[in-house]
C-alpha cells in the first residue's frame, strides 16, 4: 500500500455514478410499485451500497481502511434507466473516490440480482467518478512568483563539523511548490547574526524567509528570541499546525518552539533543525501557507 503517513487529515468528498438499464417499462413499474419478488429493490440495494462503502478496503487491495463518516445513495429514473449516485465524506489522509465507485457499483449489482428473474436484458454501464474534493490537489495556491531565502542556524554546521540536511530538505520542498530560491546560508546560533540576515532579506524584498535550527530548548537555541522581536504580526496558527502534525508522529514535537509571522510583506518561519523535523514541518504547512500571498496581494481570501 502507498505510504500516506506524511499526509494531513482533511475533509474529503467523492460522488460516483452507475447507470442500470432495463428492457421494459414493466420492470420500472415493478420497482416503483414494490412488486419485485425479491423485495424492495431500492432499499435492499441501498443497504448493500452502504456496506460496500465501508468494506472497500477488504476487496480492493491497495485501498486504505478509512473512516466512512457520511454516505448518501440516491436514485433517479430516466425512461428505462436508473441513475445511481453514491456520495461519501470522510476526514482522513486519503480520498474516497474508489469507495464511492465501489458503493455505486454494488448498488447496481444488487439491483441486477434482484431484477434478473423478471428482466433478462438488464445492463450496468457508465460507472464513473462525478467529482472529488479535498486534499492537496484542491489547493490552488502556488509558489510561482515567490522568492525565498533559507537560513540554517547551527554552530556545528557553521564550523564544518556536520553536514546540513535540513536546509536542503526545505529547499527541495520549496522547489516542489514552485518557490524560487534566492539565497541559502549557514550561520551560527547568534541572535544578532540571525536578526541581521532577516533584516537584510526583508530590505531586499524577499517574499519568504525560512529558518531551520535553534528552536529547541538548549542554551544555544535562540532562534525564537531573535525572530519574535522583529515580527510585526505573529501567526500562531502556523506554529500550532507544525506542532500538531509533529505530535502525531513523535511526542517530542511539543518541545519545539517554531514561530512564524510577517515583517511587512515578508513571511518568516522558523522550523526545527533536525532533517525529519524540517521535512515534516514543510509537509504540515505547504502548500496552504502560500495562500498568505493571495491575501497580501488581493486583500481577500
Amino acid at each position: 500500500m502507498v505510504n500516506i503517513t506524511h499526509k494531513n487529515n482533511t475533509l474529503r468528498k467523492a460522488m460516483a455514478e452507475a447507470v442500470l438499464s432495463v428492457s421494459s417499462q414493466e420492470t420500472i413499474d415493478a420497482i416503483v410499485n414494490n412488486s419485485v419478488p425479491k423485495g424492495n429493490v431500492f432499499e435492499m440495494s441501498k443497504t448493500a451500497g452502504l456496506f460496500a462503502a465501508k468494506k472497500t478496503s477488504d476487496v480492493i487491495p491497495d485501498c486504505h481502511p478509512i473512516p466512512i463518516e457520511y454516505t448518501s445513495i440516491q436514485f433517479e429514473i430516466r425512461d428505462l434507466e436508473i441513475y445511481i449516485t453514491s456520495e461519501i465524506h470522510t476526514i482522513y489522509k486519503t480520498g474516497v473516490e474508489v469507495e464511492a465507485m465501489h458503493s455505486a457499483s454494488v448498488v447496481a449489482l444488487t439491483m441486477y440480482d434482484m431484477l434478473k428473474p423478471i428482466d433478462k436484458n438488464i445492463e450496468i454501464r457508465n460507472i464513473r467518478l462525478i467529482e472529488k474534493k479535498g486534499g492537496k490537489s484542491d489547493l490552488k495556491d502556488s509558489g510561482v512568483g515567490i522568492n525565498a531565502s533559507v537560513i540554517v542556524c547551527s554552530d556545528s554546521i557553521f564550523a564544518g563539523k556536520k553536514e546540513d540536511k535540513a536546509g536542503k530538505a526545505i529547499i527541495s520542498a520549496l522547489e516542489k511548490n514552485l518557490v524560487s530560491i534566492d539565497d541559502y546560508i549557514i550561520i551560527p546560533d547568534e541572535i544578532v547574526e540571525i536578526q541581521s540576515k532577516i533584516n537584510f532579506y526583508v530590505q531586499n524584498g524577499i517574499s519568504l524567509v525560512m529558518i531551520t535550527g535553534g528552536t529547541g530548548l538548549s542554551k544555544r537555541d535562540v532562534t525564537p528570541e531573535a525572530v519574535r522581536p522583529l515580527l510585526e504580526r505573529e501567526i500562531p496558527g502556523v506554529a500550532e499546525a507544525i506542532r500538531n502534525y509533529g505530535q502525531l508522529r513523535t511526542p517530542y514535537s511539543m518541545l519545539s518552539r517554531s514561530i512564524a509571522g510577517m515583517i511587512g510583506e515578508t513571511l518568516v518561519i522558523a522550523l526545527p533543525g533536525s532533517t525529519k523535523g524540517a521535512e515534516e514541518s514543510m509537509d504540515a504547512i505547504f502548500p496552504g501557507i502560500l495562500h498568505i500571498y493571495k491575501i497580501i496581494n488581493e486583500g481577500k481570501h
Side-chain angles (χ1 to χ4, degrees), residues 18-22 27-28 31-32 36 38-46 48-49 73-77 81-85 104-119 122-124:
V19 180
L20 186 92
S21 176
V22 302
T27 303
I28 295 294
I31 296 171
V32 173
V36 175
K38 286 193 174 184
N40 189 306
V41 174
F42 287 145
E43 291 303 316
M44 288 285 285
S45 61
K46 180 177 180 179
I73 296 171
Q74 303 293 329
F75 303 93
E76 182 182 352
I77 298 173
E81 296 179 331
I82 301 173
Y83 284 74
I84 303 155
T85 58
S105 66
V106 169
V107 171
L109 282 168
T110 303
M111 295 180 75
Y112 177 93
D113 179 64
M114 296 184 73
L115 295 171
K116 65 184 180 181
I118 64 172
D119 192 333
I122 298 172
E123 292 184 1
I124 297 172

Side-chain angles (χ1 to χ4, degrees), residues 73-283:
I73 296 171
Q74 303 293 329
F75 303 93
E76 182 182 352
I77 298 173
R78 305 179 193 172
D79 296 325
L80 298 182
E81 296 179 331
I82 301 173
Y83 284 74
I84 303 155
T85 58
S86 178
E87 181 177 356
I88 297 179
H89 300 181
T90 188
I91 297 178
Y92 198 60
K93 299 171 185 168
T94 188
V96 287
E97 54 267 38
V98 175
E99 285 75 8
M101 286 190 287
H102 183 225
S103 173
S105 66
V106 169
V107 171
L109 282 168
T110 303
M111 295 180 75
Y112 177 93
D113 179 64
M114 296 184 73
L115 295 171
K116 65 184 180 181
I118 64 172
D119 192 333
K120 303 301 183 183
N121 297 300
I122 298 172
E123 292 184 1
I124 297 172
R125 52 190 175 79
N126 295 347
I127 298 171
R128 67 188 183 99
L129 180 69
I130 298 175
E131 67 174 1
K132 60 168 286 190
K133 295 180 180 179
K136 286 189 176 181
S137 60
D138 272 9
L139 299 177
K140 306 303 181 184
D141 303 298
S142 165
V144 173
I146 297 170
N147 60 350
S149 293
V150 178
I151 304 173
V152 178
C153 298
S154 170
D155 292 335
S156 57
I157 295 174
F158 181 75
K161 298 177 181 178
K162 286 175 59 178
E163 178 188 356
D164 169 52
K165 295 182 180 179
K168 292 176 181 176
I170 290 171
I171 289 172
S172 176
L174 290 172
E175 290 176 339
K176 286 179 182 177
N177 284 279
L178 305 181
V179 176
S180 63
I181 308 302
D182 186 85
D183 196 15
Y184 161 67
I185 191 167
I186 300 169
I187 62 175
D189 291 302
E190 297 288 349
I191 290 179
V192 173
E193 187 91 19
I194 296 168
Q195 291 181 336
S196 174
K197 292 301 178 186
I198 293 172
N199 285 328
F200 174 79
Y201 293 136
V202 170
Q203 291 164 10
N204 282 273
I206 299 299
S207 306
L208 173 62
V209 177
M210 300 292 305
I211 306 168
T212 176
T215 60
L217 290 165
S218 77
K219 293 180 180 179
R220 292 289 294 165
D221 287 332
V222 296
T223 300
E225 286 73 22
V227 173
R228 185 170 281 110
L230 301 181
L231 298 179
E232 295 172 1
R233 290 190 292 176
E234 191 171 345
I235 312 172
V238 176
E240 290 167 6
I242 291 170
R243 281 188 283 272
N244 181 64
Y245 184 93
Q247 195 68 22
L248 295 173
R249 291 154 180 83
T250 171
Y252 303 137
S253 177
M254 63 184 174
L255 303 178
S256 174
R257 298 188 299 135
S258 296
I259 187 172
M262 303 298 299
I263 306 173
E265 295 188 356
T266 299
L267 173 61
V268 180
I269 306 175
L271 305 181
S274 70
T275 305
K276 195 69 173 176
E279 289 174 340
E280 290 180 351
S281 297
M282 296 297 286
D283 285 337

Side-chain angles (χ1 to χ4, degrees), residues 7-31:
K7 293 187 175 183
N8 276 308
N9 284 359
T10 58
L11 174 61
R12 297 168 187 265
K13 303 178 182 180
M15 182 179 292
E17 177 184 83
V19 180
L20 186 92
S21 176
V22 302
S23 64
S24 69
Q25 184 61 40
E26 287 76 13
T27 303
I28 295 294
D29 293 340
I31 296 171

